[in-house]
């Protein structure tokens, strides 16, 4: 089974898995990606160009012409496409593969609705009515799909509604190796330090966290500091909530930190909280596990799967303030369980390494290709 992987950009959450696949499982495999977008570069991503010997990088202007050449060159191979309908250039390659009778499968996030207000209604209508019309012709020809949003039943059922057979839908996710070593250093204040990193946007659920912390303090549990990093449209609102609930002694808005300051902050963190309402995955969960942090995560994140497996924290119901507060209180008042959960994540981290997941990917692709025979 010779493979060609197609990925829109060299995404940090997947490219190392694909590299490991090529270097440790099948050195004839090929990985095709586009160049890093200007948006990603502006966010601090480093464009390193060709990353390994079997990595082909296509510029935006040559994507369509070169992709056809690659399909022709490797027409007898099994192709794995990142996405189904997005980005549009990947959909064009998929349709070209269908025209050429090339065997393929897809790796795709579930289609999530991260919008609010009128936009949310429009997006819901798009997912329910228009999206199946786009996807079903591709699903008919596809050998299957790897769901990059984990194993949540509603995500797997979505792919069924879009035309994929249930026995050809496999849960997967995003994985990256944490290169830096973090030596935990407890601060002299003796408090438990929590971190909520990322964008300050509504879908990230930071308001849910702040409201939960109000309940925690109301239960007279005050042995913590919560660090919130990042920026976004909700920053002013979130800061006003902290003042409204008299949480100034417990919540610190760190803003956007450079790598040195962020790494210093990470060395003091005991618990990572990911309160998102809905997110396709959440790579910060992987990183926290690899550091040995306890993780409290919403079941609206695909990466909640990892905590269910590692037993290195807790999963709460998305949007449920009381449930989140209870999970936080548990670890703030049970130091033994806090230490136990940290160790669980340290013990589990090999299972989310790129090398381990490359083996899982190989097994899934083997099953998909064997199902064809």
């Amino acid at each position: 089974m010779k493979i060609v992987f197609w990925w829109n950009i060299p995404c940090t959450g997947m490219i190392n898995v694909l590299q490991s696949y090529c270097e440790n499982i099948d050195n004839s495999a090929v990985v095709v990606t586009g160049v890093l977008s200007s948006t990603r570069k502006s966010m601090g991503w480093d464009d390193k160009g060709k990353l390994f010997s079997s990595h082909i990088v296509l510029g935006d202007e040559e994507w369509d012409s070169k992709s056809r050449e690659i399909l022709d060159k490797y027409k007898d191979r099994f192709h794995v496409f990142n996405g189904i309908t997005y980005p549009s250039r990947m959909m064009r390659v998929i349709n070209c593969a269908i025209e050429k009778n090339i065997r393929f499968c897809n790796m795709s996030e579930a289609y999530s609705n991260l919008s609010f207000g009128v936009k949310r209604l429009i997006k819901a209508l798009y997912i329910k009515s228009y999206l199946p019309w786009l996807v079903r012709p591709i699903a008919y020809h596809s050998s299957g799909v790897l769901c990059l949003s984990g194993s949540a039943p509603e995500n797997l059922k979505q792919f069924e509604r879009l035309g994929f057979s249930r026995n050809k839908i496999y849960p997967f996710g995003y994985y990256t190796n944490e290169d830096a070593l973090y030596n935990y250093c407890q601060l002299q204040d003796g408090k438990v330090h929590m971190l909520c990193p990322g964008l300050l946007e509504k879908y990230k659920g930071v308001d849910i966290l702040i409201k939960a912390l109000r309940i925690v303090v109301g239960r007279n549990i005050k042995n913590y500091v919560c660090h919130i990093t990042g920026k976004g449209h909700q920053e002013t609102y979130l800061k006003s909530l902290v003042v409204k609930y008299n949480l100034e002694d417990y919540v610190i808005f760190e803003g956007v930190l450079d790598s040195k300051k962020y790494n210093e902050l990470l060395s003091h963190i005991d618990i990572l909280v990911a309160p998102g309402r809905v997110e396709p995955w959440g790579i910060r969960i992987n990183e926290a596990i690899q550091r040995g942090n306890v993780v409290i995560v919403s079941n609206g994140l695909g990466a909640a799967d990892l905590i269910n497996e590692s037993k290195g924290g807790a999963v709460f119901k998305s949007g449920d303030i009381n449930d989140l507060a209870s999970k936080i209180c548990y670890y703030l008042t049970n130091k033994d369980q806090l230490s136990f959960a940290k160790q669980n994540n340290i013990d589990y981290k090999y299972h989310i390494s790129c090398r381990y997941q490359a083996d899982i990917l190989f097994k899934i692709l083997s099953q998909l290709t064997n199902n064809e025979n």
Side-chain angles (χ1 to χ4, degrees):
M1 179 185 63
K2 304 299 183 183
I3 302 291
V4 179
F5 294 99
W6 296 79
W7 216 263
N8 182 42
I9 60 171
C11 167
T12 56
M14 187 58 63
I15 194 67
N16 290 328
V17 175
L18 302 183
Q19 181 175 356
S20 181
Y21 189 102
C22 295
E23 294 177 350
N24 298 296
I25 296 175
D26 179 10
N27 58 17
S28 72
V30 174
V31 177
V32 183
T33 74
V35 296
L36 201 61
S37 67
S38 57
T39 301
R40 296 289 184 179
K41 291 178 182 178
S42 69
M43 294 169 61
W45 288 36
D46 185 16
D47 188 354
K48 298 178 181 178
K50 184 184 177 81
L51 297 174
F52 45 96
S53 60
S54 57
H55 180 203
I56 299 172
V57 183
L58 301 183
D60 295 339
E61 69 286 345
E62 63 180 353
W63 176 271
D64 286 328
S65 60
K66 291 291 186 181
S67 62
R68 283 182 172 271
E69 293 178 11
I70 293 170
L71 287 176
D72 286 333
K73 180 177 180 180
Y74 297 111
K75 61 183 179 181
D76 294 329
R77 292 195 177 199
F78 189 79
H79 292 245
V80 181
F81 293 109
N82 167 222
I84 303 172
T85 61
Y86 181 85
S88 58
R89 69 181 186 181
M90 191 66 76
M91 187 176 178
R92 291 197 298 272
V93 181
I94 294 171
N95 284 326
C96 185
I98 293 172
E99 292 173 7
K100 295 175 181 292
N101 293 316
I102 292 173
R103 297 177 303 141
F104 71 92
C105 73
N106 303 87
M107 296 179 74
S108 174
E109 297 174 0
Y111 290 85
S112 302
N113 193 344
L114 306 182
S115 304
F116 296 92
V118 175
K119 290 183 178 179
R120 183 172 182 82
L121 295 175
I122 295 173
K123 183 68 177 288
L125 184 61
Y126 169 84
I127 291 175
K128 181 179 180 180
S129 301
Y130 186 64
L131 187 62
W133 181 80
L134 287 177
V135 173
R136 283 172 185 161
I138 294 174
Y140 176 79
H141 291 91
S142 177
S143 296
V145 61
L146 283 74
C147 175
L148 295 173
S149 300
S151 64
E154 60 270 23
N155 291 332
L156 303 183
K157 287 179 181 178
Q158 182 190 77
F159 284 111
E160 280 192 78
R161 292 194 297 270
L162 293 174
F164 290 93
S165 299
R166 179 64 190 90
N167 65 341
K168 296 181 180 180
I169 302 171
Y170 292 82
F172 203 64
Y174 291 97
Y175 302 93
T176 182
N177 291 328
E178 185 67 53
D179 295 328
L181 294 176
Y182 294 90
N183 295 315
Y184 174 70
C185 179
Q186 185 173 20
L187 293 176
Q188 292 183 355
D189 61 11
K191 294 183 177 180
V192 176
H193 284 257
M194 296 187 286
L195 173 65
C196 179
L199 299 172
L200 304 183
E201 302 292 347
K202 187 172 182 179
Y203 75 92
K204 289 288 189 177
V206 183
D207 58 317
I208 297 169
L209 171 59
I210 293 172
K211 291 171 184 176
L213 294 177
R214 180 193 185 192
I215 296 174
V216 173
V217 172
R219 295 178 183 175
N220 203 34
I221 300 172
K222 303 178 180 180
N223 61 326
Y224 74 89
V225 176
C226 182
H227 304 266
I228 298 174
T229 64
K231 62 180 180 179
H233 293 94
Q234 284 211 312
E235 183 173 353
T236 300
Y237 167 66
L238 295 171
K239 288 181 176 178
S240 72
L241 280 183
V242 169
V243 173
K244 178 181 178 181
Y245 298 146
N246 298 313
L247 295 174
E248 296 97 323
D249 292 337
Y250 309 100
V251 177
I252 300 174
F253 287 90
E254 301 283 359
V256 178
L257 301 177
D258 61 34
S259 59
K260 182 179 180 180
K261 290 182 179 178
Y262 188 62
N263 288 338
E264 181 182 355
L265 175 61
L266 289 177
S267 69
H268 308 308
I269 296 303
D270 300 283
I271 301 173
L272 181 130
V273 184
R277 287 176 165 85
V278 58
E279 296 181 48
W281 184 251
I283 201 70
R284 61 196 183 281
I285 308 306
N286 303 56
E287 296 165 348
I289 291 171
Q290 290 166 334
R291 291 192 301 267
N293 297 146
V294 173
V295 176
I296 300 175
V297 57
S298 156
N299 67 359
L301 276 70
D305 280 358
L306 304 183
I307 302 305
N308 283 327
E309 294 172 4
S310 75
K311 310 302 180 187
V315 178
F316 73 96
K317 184 179 179 181
S318 177
D320 191 326
I321 297 166
N322 289 298
D323 191 19
L324 173 55
S326 295
K327 299 295 193 296
I328 293 173
C329 288
Y330 177 78
Y331 285 108
L332 292 181
T333 57
N334 291 275
K335 293 296 181 68
D336 288 344
Q337 290 301 316
L338 184 70
S339 298
F340 183 66
K342 286 182 178 182
Q343 188 60 49
N344 281 348
N345 277 340
I346 292 172
D347 294 341
Y348 178 75
K349 66 180 183 179
Y350 174 70
H351 292 83
I352 59 171
S353 68
C354 293
R355 178 68 184 90
Y356 186 91
Q357 290 301 320
D359 285 332
I360 300 297
L361 179 58
F362 173 75
K363 291 175 183 177
I364 293 173
L365 295 180
S366 297
Q367 290 180 49
L368 285 176
T369 54
N370 288 337
N371 286 342
E372 293 184 320
N373 300 325

